[in-house]
Amino acid sequence: MLFTCPADAARGGIKTVPKGKRRHLCVDVHCHVHFPPADELVKGIHRPEQEPAARFSSELTRATNRKQMENVRVCLTSVEQRLRDMDTMGVDVQAISVAPFYFI
C-alpha cells in the first residue's frame, strides 16, 4: 500500500506532526531525472520527431517546452536540489526514471 502526500506537503508546507505521533511514509512513484549519458545511449536510435508530443505540437508548444526545461533543469540534474525539494514537499522516497531529453 502506498500513502499519498498530505495536502499541506503538496502545497509546499509540511504540517508538523504532534510529538509522539508518526506520519506516514510518503513515496512519490512518478519522478524523472535527466542523466546526460542516457541521451548519448539512445542517440541514433531514439527518433524524437516520431514522438506524438513532438509530431502534433505547434512551434509555440515546442518553445514553451524548451523554456520549461530551462526552468527545471537543475531540479532534474542536481541531487542536492532534488533532496531539498523532497524535504520541502514532505517526500521520503522517490521512484525515478531516466528519460532522454530532446528539443525539436
Side-chain angles (χ1 to χ4, degrees):
M1 175 186 281
L2 297 176
F3 297 95
T4 59
C5 295
D8 290 338
R11 288 188 205 93
I14 300 171
K15 187 176 181 179
T16 57
V17 178
K19 190 172 183 172
K21 300 280 185 176
R22 295 180 65 199
R23 70 174 181 85
H24 295 294
L25 179 71
C26 182
V27 180
D28 188 343
V29 297
H30 185 162
C31 298
H32 297 263
V33 64
H34 184 199
F35 185 62
D39 295 344
E40 292 301 316
L41 287 173
V42 298
K43 198 176 220 175
I45 299 169
H46 182 253
R47 298 186 58 199
E49 69 276 4
Q50 295 299 317
E51 293 290 329
R55 289 178 51 207
F56 301 109
S57 62
S58 68
E59 183 51 41
L60 176 60
T61 299
R62 289 189 288 276
T64 301
N65 288 340
R66 283 190 294 270
K67 181 66 175 168
Q68 179 182 0
M69 185 58 185
E70 290 172 23
N71 292 338
V72 300
R73 185 174 310 276
V74 70
C75 300
L76 296 172
T77 57
S78 167
V79 172
E80 295 79 12
Q81 182 64 47
R82 181 174 297 269
L83 292 173
R84 281 192 299 272
D85 291 343
M86 288 172 64
D87 286 343
T88 298
M89 293 183 290
V91 174
D92 298 301
V93 177
Q94 286 183 334
I96 59 173
S97 62
V98 176
F101 284 86
Y102 53 86
F103 301 102
I104 294 182

